[in-house]
Amino acid sequence: MIELIENSRQFGGFTHADIYSVRIFSLLMAYGCGYPFARFYRQINENGEITAVLSVLDKDITVSFCSGADRDELSEFISVIGFSSVLCDELLDIDAGYESGTVMKTDKTVELVLPYIEIDEYPPLFDLYNFIDYGENHFEAWYVDINHRIRHGCAKAVTLNVDDEIISSAIFSSIYENCAILTGVQTKPEFRKMGYGSALVSDMCCNFGGTVYLMRESGRNESFYKKLGFENTGRWRMYK
């Protein structure tokens, strides 16, 4: 059975930890259950055990499930409520097109230091938005969401600067307890392969000191992240 939850205590007992649960619980911590655009669900089995948790932010869905989950019920439920996107493990089959890639994870710290750089842990979000180039994502919507998450300790944005110019960026888009999700890693083209991106990711992971996840596109950046202690742990799908 899948049911809407009214408070975070209804997720108690779900101990399955992965990149998707970090995203869901970080979102729950940031917004709670009081906003109409952010809804949370749980799947329970006949013994009352929670086998899956879901978040729905507007029409973007994230699903985390354990081995005992009823995946057919999850797929049917998602199809009924509708979606713009669904992020989940590749084992969840939904009748829609999808992109896929590799989940990576690290709980190690690989310290890299470069001279003459400045790490800005509170960069102006407008400058960061322009640096990353979010394309069709409008600044106002992006700003409201990321600023809200940062203020609630559920996200963190960092830039690496040289002579007051942003050279590289990275974002913990979701933070929950001792876990975080790394996104927005980017370095200006003329400064790539000079160690700036590695130094920034290294600084973030070392300062965080917990488990860091990321979603990597197939065939891209594997060696970059492995040098920083990340290992492949699974496959993600983004249904659209």
Side-chain angles (χ1 to χ4, degrees):
M1 178 176 68
I2 297 176
E3 57 187 17
L4 181 70
I5 73 159
E6 297 179 352
N7 61 73
S8 60
R9 294 189 300 275
Q10 292 178 273
F11 276 153
F14 186 76
T15 58
H16 181 70
D18 57 19
I19 189 172
Y20 317 105
S21 64
V22 172
R23 180 168 173 166
I24 292 166
F25 291 136
S26 174
L27 183 64
L28 178 62
M29 189 169 65
Y31 286 103
C33 300
Y35 291 91
F37 57 82
R39 305 188 309 279
F40 302 90
Y41 298 85
R42 66 179 185 176
Q43 181 190 66
I44 57 175
N45 62 18
E46 58 187 12
N47 297 320
E49 300 166 329
I50 303 174
T51 53
V53 295
L54 304 87
S55 66
V56 183
L57 183 63
D58 293 324
K59 300 285 281 185
D60 295 319
I61 299 174
T62 304
V63 187
S64 175
F65 55 89
C66 63
S67 58
D70 185 338
R71 298 200 298 269
D72 290 337
E73 182 185 49
L74 288 171
S75 299
E76 182 178 355
F77 175 78
I78 290 167
S79 298
V80 168
I81 66 172
F83 60 88
S84 296
S85 69
V86 180
L87 176 63
C88 58
D89 184 89
E90 66 174 354
L91 293 177
L92 185 61
D93 188 22
I94 298 173
D95 186 17
Y98 63 85
E99 300 172 355
S100 64
T102 301
V103 176
M104 301 189 80
K105 174 177 124 175
T106 185
D107 52 15
K108 305 174 184 176
T109 54
V110 178
E111 188 172 1
L112 301 174
V113 179
L114 287 179
Y116 314 117
I117 64 171
E118 172 193 350
I119 302 293
D120 188 350
E121 296 188 351
Y122 302 96
L125 293 180
F126 183 75
D127 294 344
L128 179 62
Y129 173 86
N130 287 331
F131 178 76
I132 294 177
D133 186 12
Y134 280 96
E136 296 180 357
N137 292 334
H138 295 296
F139 172 73
E140 290 80 6
W142 176 86
Y143 174 83
V144 168
D145 182 49
I146 192 68
N147 185 54
H148 183 87
R149 292 173 187 246
I150 290 172
R151 287 190 293 106
H152 285 79
C154 301
K156 185 176 183 62
V158 177
T159 60
L160 183 152
N161 306 334
V162 175
D163 296 331
D164 296 324
E165 177 186 5
I166 297 177
I167 300 301
S168 189
S169 70
I171 298 173
F172 283 154
S173 58
S174 298
I175 299 173
Y176 179 71
E177 295 184 341
N178 67 333
C179 297
I181 300 175
L182 180 67
T183 62
V185 179
Q186 184 163 313
T187 301
K188 293 186 73 171
E190 61 267 35
F191 291 96
R192 290 173 185 167
K193 297 184 178 180
M194 299 171 66
Y196 291 110
S198 298
L200 181 57
V201 172
S202 167
D203 183 82
M204 290 187 73
C205 292
C206 288
N207 287 335
F208 183 67
T211 300
V212 178
Y213 295 90
L214 62 86
M215 291 168 47
R216 181 174 60 79
E217 295 180 36
S218 294
R220 296 190 61 185
N221 302 322
E222 182 173 13
S223 61
F224 172 84
Y225 288 112
K226 281 193 170 182
K227 290 177 182 177
L228 293 167
F230 286 85
E231 296 293 339
N232 298 328
T233 61
R235 299 280 299 174
W236 58 267
R237 281 188 181 180
M238 177 73 80
Y239 289 96
K240 295 184 177 181

